């Protein structure tokens, strides 16, 4: 199975404490989820458009690629990837949502590269430089290594439902299903990456 096999791409290109915010400098994390996780995927792609709620505050509306936009937007909606990651800065599982084309392309490129493959097997660093329209991002894979026991323990007890993003819900609510099934591996038991 390929990591990127079920990632849909656009033809054109909850609590904020639980979402990665890329800060200036290095942001290091481990991708945990994939499109094939059960009972819910740990990696999704979709479209996001911004509108105003009843109070006049900007609010994202996400919907699946290939489905009609649920409303009209002032600006053209963008393709996004949302994935469950381990944030080394926060030492916890979080959601990383990216809409930058270069970062999305790099994840696909790494996952399809014969030397790197599945990005759940290594850490990834995103370096952010600049502000506003002058912001740039560079993604770099780190040497492959097994996940730490701390990450494995967090994954075992996680309850995150990324599909709630398409409904405007909280992926971290108590309604979220339990941890994804671990993939089968060699005779030593499940491979936690």
């Amino acid at each position: 199975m390929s990591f990127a096999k079920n990632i849909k791409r656009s033809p054109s290109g909850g609590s904020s404490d639980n979402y990665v915010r890329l800060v200036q400098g290095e942001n290091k994390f481990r991708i945990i989820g994939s499109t094939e996780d059960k009972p819910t995927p740990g990696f999704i792609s979709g479209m996001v458009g911004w509108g105003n709620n009843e109070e006049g505050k900007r609010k994202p509306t996400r919907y699946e690629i290939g489905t009609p936009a649920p409303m009209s937007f002032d600006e053209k909606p963008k393709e996004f990837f949302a994935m469950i990651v381990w944030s080394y800065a926060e030492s916890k599982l979080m959601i990383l949502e990216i809409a930058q084309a270069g970062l999305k392309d790099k994840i696909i490129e790494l996952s399809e590269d014969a030397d790197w493959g599945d990005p759940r097997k290594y850490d990834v660093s995103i370096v952010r430089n600049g502000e506003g329209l002058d912001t740039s991002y560079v993604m770099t894979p780190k040497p492959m290594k097994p996940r730490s026991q701390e990450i494995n323990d967090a994954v075992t007890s996680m309850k995150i439902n990324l599909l709630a993003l398409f409904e405007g819900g909280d992926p971290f609510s108590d309604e979220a299903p339990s941890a994804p099934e671990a993939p089968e591996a060699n005779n030593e038991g499940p491979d936690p990456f």
Side-chain angles (χ1 to χ4, degrees):
M1 287 184 271
S2 166
F3 171 81
K5 179 176 132 185
N6 294 322
I7 296 173
K8 295 179 183 175
R9 297 296 307 263
S10 167
S12 62
S15 166
S16 61
D17 291 355
N18 292 319
Y19 294 84
V20 174
R21 287 205 169 96
L22 297 176
V23 297
Q24 291 292 331
E26 183 180 37
N27 299 268
K28 185 176 167 187
F29 57 90
R30 172 68 70 106
I31 296 173
I32 301 298
S34 84
T35 60
E36 297 179 352
D37 289 343
K38 304 283 186 236
T40 63
F43 188 113
I44 62 172
S45 61
M47 300 298 291
V48 61
W50 288 83
N52 293 325
N53 63 14
E54 297 80 29
E55 293 88 39
K57 295 182 181 181
R58 285 180 47 86
K59 178 183 181 235
T61 298
R62 297 172 187 90
Y63 57 98
E64 295 185 53
I65 292 172
T67 63
M71 58 187 279
S72 62
F73 300 101
D74 293 336
E75 301 170 18
K76 182 179 176 184
K78 293 182 177 184
E79 176 190 53
F80 75 91
F81 287 176
M83 64 204 83
I84 300 170
V85 300
W86 175 263
S87 166
Y88 285 98
E90 299 291 330
S91 296
K92 69 178 189 175
L93 292 173
M94 301 178 79
I95 294 175
L96 172 64
E97 184 175 339
I98 55 175
Q100 298 84 355
L103 294 178
K104 294 181 298 188
D105 292 344
K106 186 68 174 181
I107 289 173
I108 299 299
E109 177 187 317
L110 288 169
S111 72
E112 294 176 347
D113 185 284
D115 294 325
W116 287 106
D118 191 325
R120 294 174 293 171
K121 294 183 178 182
Y122 49 88
D123 296 334
V124 178
S125 170
I126 296 177
V127 176
R128 176 183 172 183
N129 288 309
E131 292 291 332
L133 296 176
D134 293 326
T135 304
S136 66
Y137 300 91
V138 176
M139 181 182 290
T140 307
K142 300 295 186 181
M144 288 190 189
K145 65 180 182 180
R147 290 190 320 210
S148 70
Q149 190 58 46
E150 179 183 23
I151 297 173
N152 291 338
D153 291 345
V155 170
T156 300
S157 63
M158 79 174 175
K159 287 190 169 193
I160 303 172
N161 180 8
L162 288 180
L163 297 176
L165 292 173
F166 291 130
E167 301 162 3
D170 179 6
F172 293 90
S173 79
D174 291 335
E175 310 281 314
S178 51
E181 299 168 1
E184 293 302 319
N186 56 34
N187 58 4
E188 297 175 8
D191 179 9
F193 294 99

